[in-house]
Amino acid sequence: MHYFVSDIHLGAGTAAEARATERRFVAWLDRAAADAETIVLAGDIFDFWFEYGRVVPKGFVRTLGKLAELTDRGIRILFFTGNHDMWVTDYLARECGVEIRTAPQVLTLGSQRIFVAHGDNMRIEGQWLLQAMNAMFRSRLLRTLFSWLVHPDLALRFGGWWSGRSRKRHGRTPLGPEVTEPLVAFARDHAADHAVDHYLFGHMHYPRDYREGRLHVVLLGCWERGASWARLDAAGELTLHTGTDA
């Protein structure tokens, strides 16, 4: 079995809320690991993550320990960076054994080809401000300068504020399937020229299983709104699930 999850946003909310979310996520990892060959973390696992050369954010010990345990057992874990945790370097790979992916990728799992991306920088043509922010936040030079010039306490305080501001902005209006349409449109266009069996995204915080002829798009929801995840079984079926029972 191959499992997919995104948008846990570990560290978000009050201390009690953040701890409860982490416990649910670790419990889900335990259940998935019972028959998992691969676990794909499709971005925004952390609400904010920034690595310095010798400093990483405080906390998340249950999650980090569980990831290390599972990779030690031979389970492959891929971490696709999202817009809240794009600033990873080598810590998660070195200490937890996960494979870092900083760009969309077509994964071959069993007999199926699955296009996986967080989804934050797709279909943003014409949105010059968003394009500029993406370029700035993903610049290796600016990240290096930031780590040299800004004390970790200030960086993490700023990151927490920025992430909270983003979540509040997205939480002001109820979400519906229309928020996922840009990613569905991307998949539709991409599938016209590529042999892909399934598309999987996070980011939009709205779980959806979309089918249109041979096109199949699975969008994962946010765990602050209710857990969702996907599973690819031995028959090549990719299914969307809600709740934490893997």
Side-chain angles (χ1 to χ4, degrees), residues 183-204:
L183 295 181
V184 171
F186 171 88
R188 187 181 295 116
D189 291 345
H190 186 271
D193 301 312
H194 299 82
V196 174
D197 297 297
H198 313 278
Y199 289 82
L200 184 133
F201 304 104
H203 185 57
M204 293 304 185

Side-chain angles (χ1 to χ4, degrees), residues 1-4 29 31-40 70-71 73-78 99 108-111 231-235:
M1 298 287 188
H2 308 278
Y3 291 87
F4 306 81
L29 286 171
R31 286 189 282 271
D35 61 1
E37 297 177 46
T38 311
I39 298 175
V40 177
L70 298 187
T71 58
R73 285 164 49 184
I75 297 173
R76 185 186 185 196
I77 299 180
L78 289 83
E99 301 175 30
T108 300
L109 300 174
S111 63
R231 177 172 57 205
L232 179 70
D233 64 22

Side-chain angles (χ1 to χ4, degrees), residues 9-13 46-50 52 57 60 83-85 87 137 146 150-167:
H9 287 277
L10 292 172
F46 301 96
D47 197 49
F48 180 73
W49 182 273
F50 190 94
Y52 285 74
F60 316 120
N83 51 305
H84 284 253
D85 49 20
W87 300 281
F137 287 150
F146 186 84
V150 181
H151 189 278
D153 285 349
L154 294 177
L156 295 176
R157 184 174 299 176
F158 169 77
W161 170 81
W162 182 268
S163 296
R165 178 174 174 270
S166 173
R167 283 185 287 100

Side-chain angles (χ1 to χ4, degrees), residues 66-142:
K66 181 58 63 178
L67 295 177
E69 174 195 330
L70 298 187
T71 58
D72 283 349
R73 285 164 49 184
I75 297 173
R76 185 186 185 196
I77 299 180
L78 289 83
F79 187 111
F80 283 76
T81 56
N83 51 305
H84 284 253
D85 49 20
M86 68 179 77
W87 300 281
V88 300
T89 54
D90 65 341
Y91 179 79
L92 296 176
R94 179 163 39 85
E95 295 297 328
C96 301
V98 305
E99 301 175 30
I100 305 298
R101 299 289 185 269
T102 59
Q105 183 177 352
V106 176
L107 302 177
T108 300
L109 300 174
S111 63
Q112 301 296 293
R113 288 170 54 82
I114 305 179
F115 182 100
V116 179
H118 182 62
D120 56 302
N121 59 353
M122 294 179 167
R123 283 297 170 121
I124 59 173
E125 298 86 354
Q127 302 180 52
W128 64 269
L129 181 58
L130 188 54
Q131 289 177 312
M133 289 175 60
N134 265 320
M136 179 178 68
F137 287 150
R138 295 176 189 279
S139 166
R140 181 173 297 182
L141 173 61
L142 291 180

